[in-house]
Amino acid sequence: MSATGATHGRAPSVPFPAPCHVPGPDGPWEEVQERIERTGRAVVHTTWGQWLTPALLDPRLRVLLGRDWPRYRQHPAPAGRLSLAVSRVVLKHTAAAALQVPADRLDLAYLPGGRPVLRGLGGDLRVSLTHTDELIAVGVSRAGPVGVDAEPAGRRISFERLRDHVCTPEEAELLTALPEEERAERFLRLWTLKEAYTKALGHGMRRRFSAVGFGWDAAGTARLGGDTAGEWAFATHLVEGRFLVSEAHRQDAAPAAPGGTRAASPADRPVGPPSPDPPHDTRVIGFPGRRGPAQR
């Protein structure tokens, strides 16, 4: 099960390539750098087990975690503590590869809703982070907002119970008409696309998914309803043979030049340490308001 998103208008004119697999801090990073140079954006995937030992043994770990260090040290659950550390190290190294600077020179902060942002050096680079089970995925973009989301491809979520929460009436009607197996696959893909889109907007779970509509063209490409200018582009890929990774990108009218710094809007002002469970780290899947087993 795999789908890629072609785009039109101001967005890229070719389908998104599959996310780059980077098995450790030493890379390889060349493909990520090439994609940044060519398109302004890249998505990386890996597993926390592949990064665990080099991340924890890195003498720069405290510097790499930065404002996340106290949260890492105080996290009550060992698995959660390790997941937090490794995911932030992957994000820092991915951003550093895109910018071609040392990872320990980057300062990661969070907006009030939990959205990760880079301060100072690398402030022109947008970042997004997702992790589920052992998978970690990071999106980086110099060309505009980016959002990534992931779920196990075989995950079963109740269409009947979540339809009104996730789907517009048009989406619900189309999904209802599909065979059960195809409906389950398309519903999960739709969920991850809406997660990626709202992350790119910086809204996370605060925006009702049923207020965001998607359609698919004849090639199976996801299109955002009402996006007549073609500013948004989307893709969903199967990675590691068992995880769906969706990405959402919006092309800015004037992408920042490499090494430049974009002007920060009020919504981009970083704040101090995030709350204990920022929305971009803890996923809700199941009933609205209930925390499901897939936690980011």
Side-chain angles (χ1 to χ4, degrees):
M1 175 177 160
S2 175
T4 59
T7 59
H8 61 281
R10 284 162 38 183
S13 59
V14 297
F16 287 115
C20 303
H21 177 222
V22 180
D26 293 332
W29 294 107
E30 290 80 8
E31 186 173 1
V32 174
Q33 293 165 350
E34 189 276 333
R35 290 187 188 184
I36 290 291
E37 290 298 322
R38 180 168 52 88
T39 70
R41 56 178 63 84
V43 175
V44 163
H45 75 90
T46 189
T47 61
W48 73 271
Q50 292 175 311
W51 281 66
L52 179 62
T53 299
L56 295 185
L57 293 181
D58 192 326
R60 304 172 300 166
L61 180 60
R62 182 167 187 167
V63 176
L64 286 170
L65 292 183
R67 66 190 68 239
D68 281 313
W69 177 257
R71 185 171 165 227
Y72 163 70
R73 296 286 293 173
Q74 297 163 15
H75 201 293
R81 183 164 60 249
L82 296 178
S83 178
L84 184 151
V86 175
S87 63
R88 271 52 177 189
V89 171
V90 174
L91 190 155
K92 279 279 190 81
H93 276 278
T94 302
L99 295 164
Q100 301 187 41
V101 300
D104 57 7
R105 291 187 60 194
L106 300 179
D107 181 16
L108 183 67
Y110 298 88
L111 300 183
R115 180 183 182 182
V117 293
L118 294 174
R119 300 180 62 180
L121 178 66
D124 63 305
L125 191 75
R126 314 290 183 97
V127 297
S128 183
L129 169 69
T130 185
H131 46 106
T132 182
D133 293 349
E134 68 267 37
L135 184 82
I136 299 171
V138 174
V140 291
S141 175
R142 278 203 325 254
V146 58
V148 292
D149 187 68
E151 282 291 343
R155 187 174 186 80
R156 286 292 180 260
I157 54 179
S158 174
F159 172 68
E160 289 74 19
R161 300 169 94 171
L162 289 174
R163 173 176 51 200
D164 294 339
H165 172 64
V166 176
C167 300
T168 64
E170 294 78 12
E171 290 168 339
E173 182 179 358
L174 289 172
L175 288 171
T176 300
L178 296 176
E180 183 176 356
E181 188 67 22
E182 186 178 354
R183 181 193 310 134
E185 292 180 352
R186 183 63 64 92
F187 187 50
L188 186 62
R189 180 185 171 195
L190 184 66
W191 179 287
T192 60
L193 284 167
K194 292 193 177 188
E195 284 274 15
Y197 173 62
T198 55
K199 284 183 179 182
L201 291 175
H203 296 168
M205 295 300 295
R206 293 173 294 170
R207 181 162 182 155
R208 290 188 304 113
F209 284 0
S210 59
V212 179
F214 279 88
W216 280 268
D217 63 19
T221 301
R223 305 291 190 189
L224 179 65
D227 182 25
T228 56
E231 294 180 342
W232 285 93
F234 303 89
T236 303
H237 295 274
L238 183 69
V239 302
E240 301 283 338
R242 55 202 174 94
F243 295 101
L244 284 184
V245 175
S246 285
E247 52 186 292
H249 301 271
R250 193 189 77 204
Q251 178 72 50
D252 277 347
T261 302
R262 61 184 174 85
S265 69
D268 280 345
R269 293 196 188 110
V271 295
S275 60
D277 293 297
H280 291 294
D281 288 343
T282 302
R283 292 287 314 287
V284 178
I285 190 160
F287 291 104
R290 288 179 54 187
R291 183 172 298 173
Q295 297 190 352
R296 305 285 205 275

